[in-house]
Amino acid sequence: MLALAATATFTGCASGFPPSPVAMLASVSPAVTYPAPTGLGGSNWGAVKATNKVVALTFDGGSGAEAVDDILSTLNAQHVPATFFLTGDFVSHFPVKARAIVAAGQRVGDHTVSHPHFLGDHLTDAQMRAQVRDARQQIISATKADPWPWFRFPFGELNAHAISVVNSAGFVPIGWTVDTLGWKGAKDTGITADSIVNRVLANLKPGEIVLMHVGAAPDGTTLDAAALPSIISALTARGYSFVTMDAMLGYRTLTSNGGARAFGSASFGTAAGKLGTGVTATAIAASRKTGGYLILKSDGGVLGFSARWYGSLRGKLPAGVRPTAIAAGRTDGYLILTSDGGVHAFGRPFYGSDAGQLSSGVTATGLAIDTSTGGYWILRSDGKVDAFNAPALGGLTGLPSGVRPAGIAAGAVEGYYVLTSDGDVHGFGTASRGSLLGKLPAGRTAVGIAVNNATGGYWILTSNGGVSSFKAPWWGSMAGKLTGRQSVTGITGQ
């Protein structure tokens, strides 16, 4: 963490287009301003809050887009997520490139409208907020993706007051651990693709944030794009995986009446009291693309909260078939699992299902997406796990009497976790971080599991609304807060 209380100026950020007069910015800020996520205010984060071996690759987009295609090609080929901080001017001048970034499943952040010096240009508080909020609106309008809550100061120029203003606009400033300096170019600098790789490795630590750019340097070179394949290979060889800034967010829990509660994250709304007679909330999934979430209802309906809606199974379920899980990956769209093993794809690829293949008495209970392949795993009530365009890593057999599978979650790096109702966690292709086995009082069960991508740990949701953390930050729970016939039905991280 890099908390800056005094004025700090870094020149390692290439300028954007010539700033338009700040005083003439149109007031096009979104109607809804979300608060900055709990626990992340007051700092310019120079590293991801992580203990796991993860790196955040970030790219600034301001003055040019010459390297966008090459960068996206490399990231897509290696299945690597990244965060792109875009200016409003960038999305206005290069809307096709901006949409390509989002279509590739990459995360976007806010980099102001016109890339001004927050301190050197003596921006007022109102002008700072306008730069942040108007850029957000322009990015949403151009790409349909919300950059909230991530923001990057132009030129890295900031002080404690500027951070507080950005926080008041609902955003969290993100700095960097290492600047590759690729924006300077090769001419008369001694900078090469190899030197960029060496700079990244010299600063390597869990949570490292790497600053790169999508535009060409003054000499026309795009060294960051040239170095990117070697950066990814070198980091992977050292046991590192890749995250977006969303890895610093917490979790959300779902109750049967449709209530969605955020812990260490942001709430975009709830379905509490809005489900209709006899309808309950069944499952919740985070949309990594937007930072929002999706709620699956017992009638097959889907509600989106700051997440794009593609359709649902409402009115389409055969008799005796019920929806059991929903999953959303890094790219757009989501999958719905039904008790008969059917997988229904909305806005994302379909790779097959267990429909018509389950033995009598066996149902499909859980679904997790493999972020590397875009495929998925189906958890069955007998403990077995079936893989579709994802590695087959095994499942559970011979469960003790009265113990049932309670949830499945993709690991932070690879593989998946299977949770059982007695609180035990079984890792397949990934290491277990601990469990609640033998620690649950009589009558209490484990309900769901969610992974923290920054630490490699996870959270376990229990039937009383409690959340237990294993190598993951604890932000609170619904324990002691459930009312009436409410029950907890799901948990999701970001």
Side-chain angles (χ1 to χ4, degrees), residues 110-127:
D110 187 316
H111 199 31
T112 73
V113 173
S114 57
H115 208 282
H117 292 269
F118 266 43
L119 306 183
D121 289 345
H122 305 293
L123 269 62
T124 66
D125 291 3
Q127 289 170 334

Side-chain angles (χ1 to χ4, degrees), residues 95-112:
V96 174
K97 300 297 186 184
R99 286 193 286 271
I101 291 169
V102 171
Q106 304 300 339
R107 186 67 157 98
V108 294
D110 187 316
H111 199 31
T112 73

Side-chain angles (χ1 to χ4, degrees), residues 5 35 46 95 127 237 249 261 265 271 273 278 303 305 342 359 361 397 402 406 439 457 461 475-477 483-484:
Q127 289 170 334
L249 297 177
R261 291 290 301 271
S265 192
L303 301 175
F305 295 86
S359 302
T397 58
K439 303 174 184 177
L461 176 67
W475 297 97
S477 77
T483 60

Side-chain angles (χ1 to χ4, degrees), residues 433-445:
R433 310 292 183 177
S435 77
L436 290 173
L437 183 63
K439 303 174 184 177
L440 294 174
R444 189 174 302 172
T445 59

Side-chain angles (χ1 to χ4, degrees), residues 251-267:
Y251 47 88
R252 301 180 179 102
T253 63
L254 179 70
T255 51
S256 56
N257 70 335
R261 291 290 301 271
F263 299 92
S265 192
S267 175

Side-chain angles (χ1 to χ4, degrees), residues 269-341:
T270 178
K274 306 173 184 177
L275 297 180
T277 304
V279 178
T280 59
T282 301
I284 185 170
S287 170
R288 292 190 181 182
K289 185 170 182 178
T290 65
Y293 44 92
L294 300 146
I295 293 177
L296 176 64
K297 303 190 299 179
S298 59
D299 62 358
V302 174
L303 301 175
F305 295 86
S306 192
R308 188 174 177 184
W309 188 85
Y310 281 91
S312 75
L313 294 175
R314 186 178 180 186
K316 304 174 184 178
L317 293 173
V321 175
R322 65 186 188 283
T324 56
I326 186 169
R330 191 160 52 81
T331 54
D332 216 350
Y334 45 89
L335 303 170
I336 297 176
L337 177 70
T338 49
S339 57
D340 61 350

Side-chain angles (χ1 to χ4, degrees), residues 150-494:
W150 310 120
F151 172 80
R152 176 164 281 164
F153 283 101
F155 310 100
E157 186 179 277
L158 58 108
N159 59 16
H161 179 71
I163 291 174
S164 70
V165 173
V166 169
N167 287 161
S168 74
F171 281 75
V172 176
I174 300 299
W176 52 86
T177 312
V178 57
D179 177 358
T180 65
L181 302 181
W183 56 273
K184 288 186 175 182
K187 185 177 181 180
D188 302 325
T189 65
I191 299 171
T192 65
D194 287 342
S195 73
I196 286 174
V197 176
N198 291 335
R199 283 182 65 83
V200 172
L201 296 180
N203 291 273
L204 187 58
K205 66 177 184 178
E208 177 184 47
I209 299 176
V210 181
L211 169 64
M212 292 176 278
H213 290 81
V214 301
D219 63 0
T221 58
T222 53
L223 292 176
D224 285 332
L228 185 58
S230 295
I231 289 173
I232 293 172
S233 295
L235 292 174
T236 301
R238 287 161 175 76
Y240 278 76
S241 59
F242 303 90
V243 297
T244 68
M245 301 316 305
D246 285 345
M248 294 209 297
L249 297 177
Y251 47 88
R252 301 180 179 102
T253 63
L254 179 70
T255 51
S256 56
N257 70 335
R261 291 290 301 271
F263 299 92
S265 192
S267 175
F268 294 107
T270 178
K274 306 173 184 177
L275 297 180
T277 304
V279 178
T280 59
T282 301
I284 185 170
S287 170
R288 292 190 181 182
K289 185 170 182 178
T290 65
Y293 44 92
L294 300 146
I295 293 177
L296 176 64
K297 303 190 299 179
S298 59
D299 62 358
V302 174
L303 301 175
F305 295 86
S306 192
R308 188 174 177 184
W309 188 85
Y310 281 91
S312 75
L313 294 175
R314 186 178 180 186
K316 304 174 184 178
L317 293 173
V321 175
R322 65 186 188 283
T324 56
I326 186 169
R330 191 160 52 81
T331 54
D332 216 350
Y334 45 89
L335 303 170
I336 297 176
L337 177 70
T338 49
S339 57
D340 61 350
V343 172
H344 307 263
F346 296 88
R348 62 176 300 115
F350 171 76
Y351 295 108
S353 76
D354 279 334
Q357 302 175 38
L358 298 178
S359 302
S360 177
V362 176
T363 59
T365 62
L367 184 68
I369 292 176
D370 179 4
T371 55
S372 294
T373 66
Y376 40 87
W377 296 285
I378 295 176
L379 175 64
R380 304 169 10 168
S381 61
D382 59 4
K384 294 181 180 179
V385 175
D386 294 328
F388 296 87
N389 196 41
L393 300 171
L396 302 176
T397 58
L399 288 174
S401 177
V403 176
R404 65 186 187 282
I408 185 171
V413 179
E414 57 190 354
Y416 49 85
Y417 297 103
V418 175
L419 174 72
T420 50
S421 57
D422 59 355
D424 204 5
V425 176
H426 307 260
F428 294 87
T430 189
S432 175
R433 310 292 183 177
S435 77
L436 290 173
L437 183 63
K439 303 174 184 177
L440 294 174
R444 189 174 302 172
T445 59
V447 174
I449 184 170
V451 169
N452 180 291
N453 290 311
T455 65
Y458 42 80
W459 300 284
I460 296 176
L461 176 67
T462 52
S463 56
N464 70 329
V467 174
S468 297
S469 59
F470 295 86
K471 200 179 178 183
W474 188 83
W475 297 97
S477 77
M478 290 289 291
K481 302 174 184 177
L482 298 176
T483 60
R485 295 185 177 180
Q486 276 186 352
S487 61
V488 284
T489 56
I491 184 171
T492 183
Q494 193 60 54

